[in-house]
Amino acid sequence: MLAIIADLYTPLLLLCWIYYWQKELIQRRKSQFKRLLLLVSVVYALMLVDIYFGIWAYGGMDYSTHSAIALLLVVDLCFKNRLLLFVSPLSLCAYFYLMWLLNYHSIADMLTTCLLILPIFLYKKGK
């Protein structure tokens, strides 16, 4: 049951993102969608770089694509309203705990992935 919950977390975040995305003006929708696609591309490009160079493996860790995509959606949702600013990070922490509990990723995997990718996600977001 816990594995099913973990597998449904990111699709549910995406549905939430789409719900709030639809409420935006058309011009803003286009830029937000392009930004999302660009950042997803960055997540997977970093995964490919890690596979090629073995950066995380060198430290005995694993690049967590799950964490990166979830973090991307949560960061974006945090800018939608005050409730999401509170609830989204809590749900992300619960998701990370669940992934650790199920041995999907270690805390170090998730933490290093997030520390690397968070500044990229926040770049020009607050403006």
Side-chain angles (χ1 to χ4, degrees):
M1 185 66 175
L2 291 178
I4 293 170
I5 293 169
D7 290 341
L8 290 176
Y9 180 74
T10 304
L12 289 174
L13 274 179
L14 185 59
L15 287 175
C16 186
W17 186 89
I18 290 169
Y19 172 79
Y20 283 98
W21 175 74
Q22 288 177 334
K23 292 183 172 192
E24 298 287 342
L25 297 173
I26 290 177
Q27 303 91 333
R28 194 147 155 74
R29 279 191 212 172
K30 287 181 182 179
S31 68
Q32 285 186 341
F33 188 72
K34 287 178 186 176
R35 183 176 188 279
L36 181 70
L37 286 178
L38 175 67
L39 292 174
V40 167
S41 299
V42 167
V43 166
Y44 284 100
L46 286 171
M47 178 193 72
L48 293 173
V49 167
D50 178 52
I51 289 170
Y52 185 77
F53 291 106
I55 300 165
W56 267 261
Y58 182 75
M61 296 180 287
D62 182 33
Y63 175 78
S64 177
T65 311
H66 296 100
S67 299
I69 294 293
L71 180 68
L72 163 62
L73 293 170
V74 165
V75 166
D76 228 39
L77 286 171
C78 282
F79 288 92
K80 302 298 183 194
N81 66 39
R82 287 185 181 181
L83 177 63
L84 289 174
L85 179 62
F86 177 72
V87 172
S88 297
L90 287 177
S91 74
L92 185 64
C93 290
Y95 177 61
F96 287 169
Y97 176 73
L98 187 56
M99 284 199 303
W100 173 77
L101 194 65
L102 294 170
N103 291 317
Y104 286 175
H105 290 287
S106 71
I107 293 171
D109 296 342
M110 295 179 281
L111 186 63
T112 55
T113 300
C114 290
L115 287 175
L116 171 74
I117 212 127
L118 186 60
I120 298 168
F121 292 166
L122 291 176
Y123 180 70
K124 290 192 177 182
K125 184 62 185 172
K127 294 181 181 180

